[in-house]
Amino acid sequence: MRPLKKINQKAIAERLGISHVSVSNALAGRKGVSRELRERVLETAARMEYETKQESGAGSAGWSEIAVVGARVIPERLSARNRVHFRYDLPDALSGEIGEAQLQEWQSCIGILVTQQVSAEILWMLRERVKKPMVGIGFFVDGVPMDFVMEDGFHGIQALARTLRDRGYMRLVYVSPEEAEANPEERSMLEDRLLGFRRDQYTRLLEKAEKVETVPAFDLGERDGIVTLHRLSERLAVWREGVCGRQPGTALICGDGRTARRAARMLKVAGIAVPGEIGVIGCGAEEACQEEWKDGGTQACREAVSMFRADEEQLMECAVRILKERREGRAEPEGLHRVSGAIAGADTI
Amino acid sequence: MPVQNTKKKVTMRQIAEAVGVSTVTVSNALAGKAGVSSEVRSRILEKAARLGYDPGEREKRSSSKTITLGVISSNMYMSEKTSFYWEMYQSVVNACFGKNILTMLEVFDERKGSVQEPTLLSREQIDGFFIIGRVPDVCMRQILRKRRGPIVLLDFDRPGYQCDSVLSDNYTGMYRATKYLAERGHRQIGFVGSVRTSANVLERYYGYWKCMREYGITPDPEWLLEDRDVRTEDAGEIRLPGRLPSAFACSSDYSAGFLYNALRKRGLRVPEDISVIGYDDYLYGNDFADRLTTYHVDFDRMAEKAVELMQRRIMAPMLPHVTHYIDSYIVERSSVSKAGGGAGR
């Protein structure tokens, strides 16, 4: 058996009320120690090692525990890579109260990952009662002292616009999703994308040193290169003449996956080549969507489109890293962490 | 409890396994050495970025070689009157402490007719540059052309240029600040800042805008006030319109100070008559400073992050460039009251 360090032996000795020489002899299996004493020493040694591990929350061989609240499951790879056990079995925090006994179970974790949108009240409750660092993934609630990791919608769109211009798309149009369909959680992100696009346009105006109004006007209309899907369908025929004939590369940046699929479908039906004549890219996750036909029927819209988004695994990786840094005591002030996106998927752009 | 910090080795091996190459190849790719095809290199870099590759702490500390970093700033931002960037420089020096890093500061003269090239550029032994605050494009291009090591920008960014940046989260910060006002019942909220002169101010404007839209408020254009780049001019005169909102969101504490002066001149009190919130948590030379509620900018954390990015890039020059935004919190003082205390006079 691996000899324990002297200081641990001293602790065992103190615990048992014997000399540390006896402990040393017992552990080394030397003569002069009764079997009974040796057994007590070994038992105490095993228990103390166990206790040390519990205190530091390290589990076995340097692994940590992180509690997961919410429906999403963290991929296995993240667990191995970061030496973290994810616990999904803790008392259901979303239902409300957590009892005293249940609180104990949370104590061995280094922190909590919240993987779905949850109200501020519940977040506060968790914070107050469990008193562990918390990270929300994929959403943001102002006013709660915790970290959030989100895709950077605002800067992401600007980066996307630059990339598209580098690829030769000189005209960018933002297609905003139908208001009614957006989840409340998505609204904030959609807003970020819309404003990010607006900022990109405004910055371009400034660069060209054109005469610009003092500050960007608040009404977001077509002249700013922002249209709705509905408007897009109306103008497609007219547009075709103007755009494809004369202007070089036009790209449609669609606020979400649903809108992107519909836009791609619309272009296909209008006989416009994608990406040959017009490029299409959506933002965020690919979503299923229904498409309405003029005769009132609907069918699933399955157009594959290129998407611009932050990798979900990357968001989770970032969240885990934040919890580990907090545990080590070196971390940024609690707040929002932005993860940049990348283009992925079908070649519609 | 003995801890083996083999983080770097493990991560490199993981990258290698994930891509299907040897760790030597990964090491070469990250260091920009020859012998790696561009296709393999880009796959490795992408994987490294996704896994959040970070040259381990031990690696950073074990190199006994002292790194010398140049710190460049323009005198437009480093004059005696504006010490914001001096403080940031101080944070950089602190962040380098104990890491075997030497820093050399150069404040170059932007006011002269022709922009001089920073003399640090011609020194052989500079391993990388921090640039604090905006510098003219001409100067940026000179630095990019002549430098030998990485460049990390502080408090600004230049998309499309080959460098990392660390900024405060302008967009989220101003959103938080404006929300602070809206939550206290304010619906008539003005904005103070010259969006055309500073990219940071422009971003903050969008943060303000986001909050306004969330509350369904269309701001009155009369209440969008310019502060005329008060960082560089002596007197920051803000022209107040006849009718005033119940609150102002200011794009910097500095302009909040000038707004306060202008309001006082008109006989208005803060926050009894008008509420004011700022951005920076850095105001000096104004007795308003200890009452101003504001969004905190964490210089120390920004500097630490900048140093971290610099070290990372010195070890692995080929990693994709990163712009890092550091979010923070509102510091509550006493410049904001609940709405209903009286709108514009």
Side-chain angles (χ1 to χ4, degrees):
Chain A
M1 182 171 143
R2 177 170 61 89
L4 293 173
K5 274 198 175 143
K6 277 215 173 70
I7 191 157
N8 284 356
Q9 291 178 8
K10 188 160 170 233
I12 297 171
E14 272 169 25
R15 182 75 78 93
L16 289 171
I18 58 179
S19 72
H20 99 261
V21 174
S22 303
V23 173
S24 174
N25 288 341
L27 292 171
R30 288 184 210 118
K31 286 202 177 74
V33 179
S34 71
R35 198 175 65 176
E36 191 215 326
L37 187 62
R38 182 162 63 240
E39 272 171 24
R40 276 174 63 204
V41 169
L42 289 175
E43 195 194 294
T44 309
R47 208 173 341 118
M48 283 181 80
E49 199 168 69
Y50 175 80
E51 277 165 18
T52 317
K53 279 189 200 138
Q54 286 289 74
E55 263 163 41
S56 66
S60 51
W63 284 57
S64 312
E65 286 193 344
I66 293 180
V68 180
V69 169
R72 275 191 257 170
V73 176
I74 317 281
E76 191 53 45
R77 307 179 270 287
L78 257 128
S79 186
R81 216 151 48 213
N82 294 283
R83 314 191 105 197
V84 164
H85 290 300
F86 292 105
R87 296 192 58 178
Y88 303 87
D89 60 337
L90 290 172
D92 186 13
L94 299 181
S95 62
E97 282 297 310
I98 300 179
E100 273 309 316
Q102 295 164 318
L103 263 182
Q104 281 306 309
E105 287 189 59
W106 290 76
Q107 291 314 309
S108 58
C109 297
I110 63 169
I112 305 174
L113 288 185
V114 184
T115 59
Q116 66 185 61
Q117 176 108 27
V118 150
S119 72
E121 288 78 42
I122 296 194
L123 291 173
W124 268 111
M125 186 274 294
L126 269 175
R127 188 93 171 104
E128 302 277 281
R129 304 235 48 218
V130 182
K131 297 193 190 358
K132 294 279 179 185
M134 292 168 33
V135 184
I137 301 178
F139 70 101
F140 170 60
V141 173
D142 182 42
V144 186
M146 58 182 273
D147 293 291
F148 294 92
V149 179
M150 273 185 71
E151 177 189 324
D152 192 342
F154 180 67
H155 299 105
I157 289 285
Q158 295 170 57
L160 174 62
R162 277 191 301 273
T163 305
L164 294 179
R165 275 193 292 270
D166 285 344
R167 289 194 190 186
Y169 288 100
M170 285 304 121
R171 183 168 174 221
L172 303 175
V173 176
Y174 182 83
V175 185
S176 54
E178 309 296 335
E179 271 287 314
E181 282 185 344
N183 309 340
E185 293 110 66
E186 285 179 334
R187 282 232 171 101
S188 183
M189 180 62 93
L190 289 177
E191 190 70 351
D192 288 348
R193 291 180 188 141
L194 183 65
L195 291 175
F197 180 80
R198 189 67 186 86
R199 195 240 165 142
D200 175 72
Q201 300 290 83
Y202 186 74
T203 308
R204 297 262 301 151
L205 280 178
L206 288 179
E207 281 168 10
K208 287 191 218 164
E210 281 181 21
K211 187 173 190 305
V212 291
E213 71 263 32
T214 315
V215 293
F218 265 61
D219 63 290
L220 298 169
E222 277 172 36
R223 64 196 176 93
D224 304 322
I226 298 171
V227 297
T228 58
L229 207 57
H230 181 71
R231 198 77 184 101
L232 177 65
S233 71
E234 283 176 7
R235 295 183 48 178
L236 221 43
V238 177
W239 215 350
R240 194 179 181 188
E241 308 302 316
V243 166
C244 307
R246 279 176 271 133
Q247 278 180 312
T250 294
L252 303 179
I253 302 177
C254 304
D256 63 17
R258 226 177 285 128
T259 309
R261 282 190 201 264
R262 290 192 181 136
R265 182 110 187 95
M266 230 182 252
L267 293 173
K268 193 172 181 181
V269 163
I272 297 176
V274 175
E277 294 177 278
I278 298 185
V280 179
I281 186 163
C283 299
E286 289 192 66
E287 295 155 327
C289 67
Q290 296 291 3
E291 181 202 340
E292 279 152 24
W293 291 104
K294 286 198 177 69
D295 61 6
T298 63
Q299 80 165 32
C301 178
R302 276 186 246 278
E303 294 296 326
V305 267
S306 300
M307 297 297 290
F308 180 78
R309 63 163 168 267
D311 186 46
E312 193 152 292
E313 209 169 294
Q314 212 179 342
L315 295 180
M316 291 171 174
E317 188 83 47
C318 181
V320 170
R321 210 173 325 131
I322 291 166
L323 285 178
K324 292 174 99 180
E325 279 179 0
R326 289 222 174 276
R327 177 162 149 245
E328 286 163 28
R330 46 178 196 99
E332 295 164 15
E334 286 163 336
L336 177 64
H337 301 256
R338 299 174 170 282
V339 175
S340 50
I343 297 178
D347 293 311
T348 58
I349 194 89
Chain B
M1 181 174 49
V3 172
Q4 267 268 59
N5 196 340
T6 52
K7 196 154 70 131
K8 181 198 169 199
K9 286 209 182 77
V10 169
T11 316
M12 261 209 204
R13 194 186 313 141
Q14 285 166 349
I15 299 173
E17 272 168 25
V19 178
V21 296
S22 70
T23 50
V24 174
T25 308
V26 172
S27 175
N28 287 341
L30 290 173
K33 293 198 186 125
V36 184
S37 78
S38 56
E39 195 236 315
V40 173
R41 189 196 305 277
S42 63
R43 276 168 53 208
I44 290 173
L45 292 177
E46 196 221 305
K47 213 50 166 190
R50 291 218 316 158
L51 297 181
Y53 170 75
D54 180 34
E57 275 305 314
R58 190 222 253 154
E59 288 292 324
K60 287 177 194 160
R61 266 182 286 141
S62 70
S63 76
S64 51
K65 176 175 172 273
T66 301
I67 298 174
T68 305
L69 300 173
V71 182
I72 293 181
S73 190
S74 153
N75 67 346
M76 294 277 273
Y77 298 106
M78 303 281 264
S79 70
E80 324 82 61
K81 295 171 184 57
T82 61
S83 69
F84 185 88
Y85 285 127
W86 277 114
E87 178 118 356
M88 197 167 284
Y89 169 63
Q90 183 130 14
S91 295
V92 171
V93 170
N94 290 342
C96 292
F97 184 74
K99 293 196 174 87
N100 253 347
I101 301 176
L102 189 65
T103 54
M104 300 179 74
L105 171 71
E106 178 168 355
V107 180
F108 71 88
D109 194 350
E110 197 177 327
R111 283 192 231 257
K112 279 204 205 127
S114 63
V115 179
Q116 307 275 13
E117 188 181 285
T119 57
L120 283 179
L121 272 179
S122 28
R123 291 185 83 107
E124 282 291 319
Q125 63 272 51
I126 302 277
D127 299 299
F129 282 98
F130 289 114
I131 306 182
I132 300 184
R134 198 200 58 84
V135 295
D137 271 345
V138 173
C139 188
M140 259 317 280
R141 286 195 290 271
Q142 275 169 346
I143 299 173
L144 279 164
R145 221 178 19 243
K146 290 207 162 175
R147 51 79 191 235
R148 256 165 300 279
I151 298 179
V152 177
L153 311 180
L154 264 165
D155 204 42
F156 78 113
D157 75 341
R158 278 283 181 273
Y161 280 61
Q162 297 298 302
C163 40
D164 296 325
S165 311
V166 180
L167 295 102
S168 67
D169 195 340
N170 298 310
Y171 181 66
T172 307
M174 204 76 233
Y175 167 77
R176 287 188 193 273
T178 312
K179 190 138 189 218
Y180 187 89
L181 295 172
E183 280 171 346
R184 279 148 189 80
H186 294 277
R187 292 293 178 270
Q188 298 175 326
I189 307 175
F191 178 85
V192 181
S194 300
V195 304
R196 282 171 304 173
T197 53
S198 158
N200 286 341
V201 173
L202 182 61
E203 277 201 343
R204 290 170 203 176
Y205 180 69
Y206 282 98
Y208 156 80
W209 193 345
K210 176 177 175 167
C211 182
M212 297 296 269
R213 274 170 61 94
E214 191 176 298
Y215 280 80
I217 314 168
T218 304
D220 191 328
E222 242 204 327
W223 295 337
L224 306 176
L225 308 180
E226 299 256 351
D227 57 10
R228 294 193 224 167
D229 200 8
V230 292
R231 273 189 184 160
T232 56
E233 287 175 12
D234 269 341
E237 277 289 332
I238 291 185
R239 271 179 309 174
L240 293 175
R243 211 174 47 93
L244 290 171
S246 64
F248 276 105
C250 300
S251 61
S252 68
D253 283 359
Y254 210 57
S255 48
F258 287 111
L259 174 69
Y260 175 70
N261 295 343
L263 290 171
R264 236 183 10 176
K265 245 192 200 165
R266 220 199 252 194
L268 295 166
R269 300 157 302 166
V270 176
E272 293 87 346
D273 299 318
I274 311 253
S275 292
V276 174
I277 195 166
Y279 186 106
D280 279 336
D281 195 17
Y282 190 83
L283 178 63
Y284 81 109
N286 190 314
D287 55 8
F288 188 38
D290 48 14
R291 294 198 287 127
L292 180 59
T293 298
T294 181
Y295 175 78
H296 179 75
V297 168
D298 195 330
F299 293 101
D300 290 337
R301 187 54 200 164
M302 283 172 71
E304 273 166 33
K305 194 69 190 176
V307 171
E308 196 185 300
L309 290 176
M310 178 68 81
Q311 288 176 309
R312 189 172 155 270
R313 189 162 296 285
I314 288 176
M315 306 217 58
M318 300 302 287
L319 284 174
H321 291 286
V322 153
T323 298
H324 194 92
Y325 298 95
I326 295 191
D327 186 22
S328 178
Y329 47 84
I330 304 274
V331 179
E332 288 193 79
R333 296 198 183 93
S334 55
S335 63
V336 177
S337 64
K338 284 201 149 70
R345 240 183 255 173

